[in-house]
Structure formats: C-alpha cells, structure tokens
C-alpha cells in the first residue's frame, strides 16, 4: 500500500534525502483513480528503496500549491532533498513509465 503524504509530513520526508515519489490525486479524478492501484503496486515493489505514496489535494493544499500542481494526476520525484524536475509526470501514465522513472531516480 502506498504511503499517505500530508502537509505535516511531506517536507520532512523529502528533506531526509531518501528517494521519494509523490502522486497528487483526488477522489473525483477518474484518471487518478485508475492510477491508484499502479501506485500501490509500485510502492510494494520498491519498498525499502523508494518511499512511494499519495498526496490527496482535497485533504491537503500547502504542498501542492507550493509545487504548482495545476492538473492531476501529477507525479513528482525527489532525491537528496530536491525535486528531480526531468522525471515529473502529468496525466495518467502506464505502470512501465512510472517504473522507468523510479529506476532513473535510483540511478541519479
């Protein structure tokens, strides 16, 4: 199961330096709901290597606003406390694309 990011925990987890993948989503977003099982599967697959989770923009707002999330689903990738900008994904994505980006994150 994917980790649940909140405004209270997200900055501290990113600052830890570990690889972090955040899926921005909402319950009313059809593409987000289709991506949900993909994110859960990848969270299990990369457990112990990458913290993969979800940030619900309905329940939380500060971090999504700070990162200029304009459409969902959007997936951001972080390493060493910084966003890896060339890995950002917007819109529904195939599982293989998200996996490739996670693997690139681990190589960076």
């Amino acid at each position: 199961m994917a980790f649940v990011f909140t405004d209270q925990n997200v900055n501290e987890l990113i600052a830890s330096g570990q690889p972090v993948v955040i899926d921005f989503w909402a319950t009313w977003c059809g593409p987000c709901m289709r991506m949900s099982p993909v994110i859960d599967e990848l969270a299990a697959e990369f457990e112990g290597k990458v913290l993969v989770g979800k940030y619900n923009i309905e329940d939380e707002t500060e971090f999504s606003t700070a990162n200029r999330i304009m459409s969902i689903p959007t997936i951001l990738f972080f390493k060493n406390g910084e966003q890896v900008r060339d890995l950002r994904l917007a819109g529904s994505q195939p599982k293989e694309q998200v996996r490739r980006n996670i693997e690139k994150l681990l190589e960076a």
Side-chain angles (χ1 to χ4, degrees):
M1 180 106 179
F3 184 82
V4 176
F5 289 102
T6 66
D7 288 330
Q8 287 71 40
N9 68 19
V10 68
N11 289 316
E12 181 179 331
L13 291 166
I14 291 170
S16 75
Q18 69 180 313
V20 174
V21 176
I22 303 174
D23 172 36
F24 293 83
W25 72 287
T27 57
W28 48 261
C29 169
C32 298
M33 300 309 287
R34 287 190 294 279
M35 287 294 300
S36 185
V38 169
I39 298 301
D40 288 338
E41 290 167 15
L42 291 169
E45 183 178 332
F46 287 95
E47 187 174 359
K49 298 177 188 168
V50 179
L51 181 58
V52 178
K54 303 173 187 179
Y55 178 98
N56 185 331
I57 65 163
E58 293 175 304
D59 298 337
E60 310 290 333
T61 58
E62 292 174 23
F63 189 71
S64 59
T65 301
N67 283 277
R68 296 186 174 122
I69 302 302
M70 302 295 180
S71 64
I72 53 173
T74 292
I75 303 173
L76 300 184
F77 299 80
F78 297 85
K79 188 169 184 182
N80 299 323
E82 307 254 332
Q83 183 181 347
V84 181
R85 298 206 183 272
D86 58 338
L87 295 181
R88 179 181 181 131
L89 296 172
S92 187
Q93 300 289 324
K95 182 178 180 179
E96 287 306 312
Q97 179 61 53
V98 182
R99 179 185 284 120
R100 279 192 296 272
N101 278 27
I102 293 172
E103 289 169 350
K104 288 179 188 175
L105 179 69
L106 289 171
E107 293 169 3

Short mmCIF file of all heavy atoms in Angstrom, two decimals, residues 37-67:
data_model
loop_
_atom_site.label_atom_id
_atom_site.label_comp_id
_atom_site.label_asym_id
_atom_site.label_seq_id
_atom_site.Cartn_x
_atom_site.Cartn_y
_atom_site.Cartn_z
N PRO A 37 -4.14 1.88 -8.18
CA PRO A 37 -3.54 0.55 -8.00
C PRO A 37 -2.11 0.46 -8.52
O PRO A 37 -1.29 -0.28 -7.98
CB PRO A 37 -4.47 -0.39 -8.76
CG PRO A 37 -5.40 0.45 -9.55
CD PRO A 37 -5.33 1.84 -9.02
N VAL A 38 -1.79 1.23 -9.55
CA VAL A 38 -0.42 1.25 -10.09
C VAL A 38 0.53 1.79 -9.02
O VAL A 38 1.60 1.22 -8.78
CB VAL A 38 -0.35 2.11 -11.38
CG1 VAL A 38 1.09 2.39 -11.79
CG2 VAL A 38 -1.13 1.44 -12.49
N ILE A 39 0.15 2.88 -8.38
CA ILE A 39 0.98 3.48 -7.33
C ILE A 39 1.14 2.50 -6.16
O ILE A 39 2.23 2.32 -5.62
CB ILE A 39 0.39 4.83 -6.87
CG1 ILE A 39 0.36 5.84 -8.03
CG2 ILE A 39 1.18 5.39 -5.68
CD1 ILE A 39 1.71 6.15 -8.66
N ASP A 40 0.05 1.83 -5.77
CA ASP A 40 0.12 0.85 -4.69
C ASP A 40 1.08 -0.29 -5.05
O ASP A 40 1.89 -0.72 -4.22
CB ASP A 40 -1.27 0.28 -4.38
CG ASP A 40 -2.18 1.27 -3.67
OD1 ASP A 40 -1.66 2.22 -3.04
OD2 ASP A 40 -3.41 1.08 -3.74
N GLU A 41 1.00 -0.79 -6.27
CA GLU A 41 1.87 -1.88 -6.70
C GLU A 41 3.34 -1.46 -6.72
O GLU A 41 4.21 -2.20 -6.28
CB GLU A 41 1.45 -2.37 -8.09
CG GLU A 41 0.14 -3.09 -8.11
CD GLU A 41 -0.42 -3.30 -9.52
OE1 GLU A 41 0.33 -3.15 -10.51
OE2 GLU A 41 -1.62 -3.63 -9.62
N LEU A 42 3.60 -0.25 -7.21
CA LEU A 42 4.99 0.23 -7.25
C LEU A 42 5.52 0.52 -5.85
O LEU A 42 6.71 0.32 -5.58
CB LEU A 42 5.09 1.46 -8.16
CG LEU A 42 4.88 1.14 -9.65
CD1 LEU A 42 4.74 2.43 -10.45
CD2 LEU A 42 6.00 0.28 -10.19
N ALA A 43 4.65 0.96 -4.95
CA ALA A 43 5.06 1.17 -3.56
C ALA A 43 5.53 -0.15 -2.95
O ALA A 43 6.56 -0.19 -2.26
CB ALA A 43 3.91 1.77 -2.76
N ALA A 44 4.81 -1.22 -3.22
CA ALA A 44 5.20 -2.54 -2.71
C ALA A 44 6.48 -3.03 -3.39
O ALA A 44 7.38 -3.57 -2.74
CB ALA A 44 4.07 -3.53 -2.92
N GLU A 45 6.57 -2.82 -4.69
CA GLU A 45 7.74 -3.28 -5.45
C GLU A 45 9.03 -2.61 -5.01
O GLU A 45 10.09 -3.25 -4.96
CB GLU A 45 7.49 -3.01 -6.94
CG GLU A 45 8.57 -3.50 -7.86
CD GLU A 45 8.26 -3.27 -9.32
OE1 GLU A 45 7.07 -3.22 -9.70
OE2 GLU A 45 9.21 -3.13 -10.10
N PHE A 46 8.96 -1.32 -4.71
CA PHE A 46 10.17 -0.56 -4.35
C PHE A 46 10.30 -0.31 -2.85
O PHE A 46 11.11 0.52 -2.43
CB PHE A 46 10.20 0.76 -5.13
CG PHE A 46 10.51 0.58 -6.59
CD1 PHE A 46 9.49 0.49 -7.53
CD2 PHE A 46 11.82 0.46 -7.03
CE1 PHE A 46 9.76 0.31 -8.87
CE2 PHE A 46 12.11 0.28 -8.37
CZ PHE A 46 11.08 0.20 -9.29
N GLU A 47 9.51 -1.03 -2.05
CA GLU A 47 9.56 -0.85 -0.60
C GLU A 47 10.99 -1.04 -0.08
O GLU A 47 11.68 -1.97 -0.48
CB GLU A 47 8.63 -1.85 0.09
CG GLU A 47 8.50 -1.63 1.57
CD GLU A 47 7.47 -2.53 2.21
OE1 GLU A 47 6.82 -3.33 1.50
OE2 GLU A 47 7.31 -2.43 3.43
N GLY A 48 11.42 -0.12 0.77
CA GLY A 48 12.77 -0.18 1.31
C GLY A 48 13.81 0.53 0.46
O GLY A 48 14.92 0.77 0.91
N LYS A 49 13.44 0.88 -0.77
CA LYS A 49 14.35 1.59 -1.67
C LYS A 49 13.86 3.01 -1.96
O LYS A 49 14.66 3.94 -2.06
CB LYS A 49 14.49 0.84 -3.01
CG LYS A 49 15.07 -0.53 -2.89
CD LYS A 49 15.09 -1.20 -4.24
CE LYS A 49 15.48 -2.65 -4.11
NZ LYS A 49 15.24 -3.39 -5.34
N VAL A 50 12.54 3.14 -2.16
CA VAL A 50 11.92 4.42 -2.51
C VAL A 50 10.63 4.53 -1.71
O VAL A 50 9.87 3.56 -1.63
CB VAL A 50 11.60 4.49 -4.02
CG1 VAL A 50 10.94 5.80 -4.37
CG2 VAL A 50 12.85 4.28 -4.85
N LEU A 51 10.37 5.71 -1.16
CA LEU A 51 9.11 5.96 -0.48
C LEU A 51 8.11 6.43 -1.53
O LEU A 51 8.23 7.55 -2.05
CB LEU A 51 9.28 6.99 0.63
CG LEU A 51 8.02 7.32 1.43
CD1 LEU A 51 7.44 6.08 2.10
CD2 LEU A 51 8.34 8.38 2.47
N VAL A 52 7.17 5.57 -1.89
CA VAL A 52 6.17 5.87 -2.92
C VAL A 52 4.84 6.08 -2.23
O VAL A 52 4.40 5.23 -1.44
CB VAL A 52 6.05 4.72 -3.94
CG1 VAL A 52 4.99 5.03 -4.98
CG2 VAL A 52 7.40 4.46 -4.61
N GLY A 53 4.20 7.21 -2.52
CA GLY A 53 2.93 7.47 -1.87
C GLY A 53 2.05 8.46 -2.59
O GLY A 53 2.37 8.90 -3.69
N LYS A 54 0.96 8.81 -1.91
CA LYS A 54 -0.08 9.64 -2.50
C LYS A 54 -0.33 10.86 -1.62
O LYS A 54 -0.28 10.79 -0.40
CB LYS A 54 -1.38 8.85 -2.62
CG LYS A 54 -1.24 7.58 -3.43
CD LYS A 54 -2.51 6.76 -3.35
CE LYS A 54 -2.34 5.41 -4.01
NZ LYS A 54 -3.54 4.60 -3.94
N TYR A 55 -0.65 11.96 -2.29
CA TYR A 55 -0.97 13.22 -1.63
C TYR A 55 -2.34 13.65 -2.16
O TYR A 55 -2.48 13.98 -3.35
CB TYR A 55 0.10 14.26 -1.96
CG TYR A 55 -0.13 15.63 -1.39
CD1 TYR A 55 0.50 16.02 -0.21
CD2 TYR A 55 -0.96 16.55 -2.03
CE1 TYR A 55 0.30 17.29 0.30
CE2 TYR A 55 -1.16 17.82 -1.52
CZ TYR A 55 -0.52 18.19 -0.35
OH TYR A 55 -0.71 19.44 0.15
N ASN A 56 -3.35 13.61 -1.30
CA ASN A 56 -4.72 13.94 -1.69
C ASN A 56 -4.90 15.46 -1.67
O ASN A 56 -4.87 16.07 -0.60
CB ASN A 56 -5.70 13.26 -0.74
CG ASN A 56 -7.13 13.45 -1.15
OD1 ASN A 56 -7.51 14.43 -1.77
ND2 ASN A 56 -7.96 12.50 -0.79
N ILE A 57 -5.10 16.05 -2.84
CA ILE A 57 -5.20 17.52 -2.91
C ILE A 57 -6.51 18.05 -2.34
O ILE A 57 -6.64 19.25 -2.13
CB ILE A 57 -5.02 18.04 -4.36
CG1 ILE A 57 -6.16 17.56 -5.26
CG2 ILE A 57 -3.66 17.62 -4.91
CD1 ILE A 57 -6.28 18.33 -6.55
N GLU A 58 -7.47 17.15 -2.06
CA GLU A 58 -8.72 17.58 -1.42
C GLU A 58 -8.50 17.78 0.08
O GLU A 58 -9.11 18.67 0.67
CB GLU A 58 -9.81 16.54 -1.61
CG GLU A 58 -10.27 16.40 -3.03
CD GLU A 58 -11.27 15.27 -3.16
OE1 GLU A 58 -10.96 14.13 -2.78
OE2 GLU A 58 -12.38 15.55 -3.65
N ASP A 59 -7.66 16.94 0.67
CA ASP A 59 -7.43 16.99 2.11
C ASP A 59 -6.26 17.89 2.48
O ASP A 59 -6.18 18.39 3.61
CB ASP A 59 -7.14 15.59 2.64
CG ASP A 59 -8.31 14.65 2.45
OD1 ASP A 59 -9.46 15.13 2.33
OD2 ASP A 59 -8.08 13.43 2.41
N GLU A 60 -5.33 18.07 1.58
CA GLU A 60 -4.10 18.84 1.82
C GLU A 60 -3.95 19.87 0.71
O GLU A 60 -4.35 19.60 -0.42
CB GLU A 60 -2.89 17.90 1.83
CG GLU A 60 -3.02 16.69 2.72
CD GLU A 60 -2.99 17.01 4.20
OE1 GLU A 60 -2.39 18.03 4.60
OE2 GLU A 60 -3.58 16.24 4.97
N THR A 61 -3.36 21.02 1.01
CA THR A 61 -3.24 22.04 -0.03
C THR A 61 -1.88 22.73 -0.08
O THR A 61 -1.45 23.16 -1.16
CB THR A 61 -4.30 23.13 0.15
OG1 THR A 61 -4.16 23.72 1.44
CG2 THR A 61 -5.70 22.56 0.00
N GLU A 62 -1.21 22.86 1.03
CA GLU A 62 0.01 23.67 1.09
C GLU A 62 1.10 23.16 0.14
O GLU A 62 1.67 23.92 -0.63
CB GLU A 62 0.55 23.74 2.52
CG GLU A 62 -0.32 24.52 3.46
CD GLU A 62 0.16 24.45 4.89
OE1 GLU A 62 1.36 24.19 5.12
OE2 GLU A 62 -0.67 24.65 5.79
N PHE A 63 1.39 21.86 0.22
CA PHE A 63 2.48 21.31 -0.59
C PHE A 63 2.15 21.32 -2.07
O PHE A 63 3.00 21.60 -2.91
CB PHE A 63 2.83 19.89 -0.11
CG PHE A 63 4.06 19.34 -0.74
CD1 PHE A 63 5.32 19.84 -0.42
CD2 PHE A 63 4.00 18.31 -1.67
CE1 PHE A 63 6.46 19.34 -1.01
CE2 PHE A 63 5.13 17.79 -2.26
CZ PHE A 63 6.37 18.31 -1.93
N SER A 64 0.89 21.02 -2.41
CA SER A 64 0.50 21.03 -3.83
C SER A 64 0.56 22.44 -4.39
O SER A 64 0.99 22.65 -5.52
CB SER A 64 -0.88 20.41 -4.04
OG SER A 64 -1.86 21.09 -3.31
N THR A 65 0.16 23.43 -3.61
CA THR A 65 0.24 24.83 -4.05
C THR A 65 1.69 25.25 -4.22
O THR A 65 2.05 25.87 -5.23
CB THR A 65 -0.47 25.75 -3.05
OG1 THR A 65 -1.84 25.35 -2.95
CG2 THR A 65 -0.39 27.20 -3.48
N ALA A 66 2.54 24.89 -3.28
CA ALA A 66 3.96 25.25 -3.34
C ALA A 66 4.65 24.64 -4.56
O ALA A 66 5.59 25.22 -5.10
CB ALA A 66 4.67 24.81 -2.06
N ASN A 67 4.15 23.49 -5.01
CA ASN A 67 4.75 22.82 -6.17
C ASN A 67 3.99 23.06 -7.46
O ASN A 67 4.23 22.38 -8.46
CB ASN A 67 4.89 21.32 -5.88
CG ASN A 67 6.05 21.05 -4.98
OD1 ASN A 67 7.18 20.97 -5.42
ND2 ASN A 67 5.79 20.95 -3.68
#
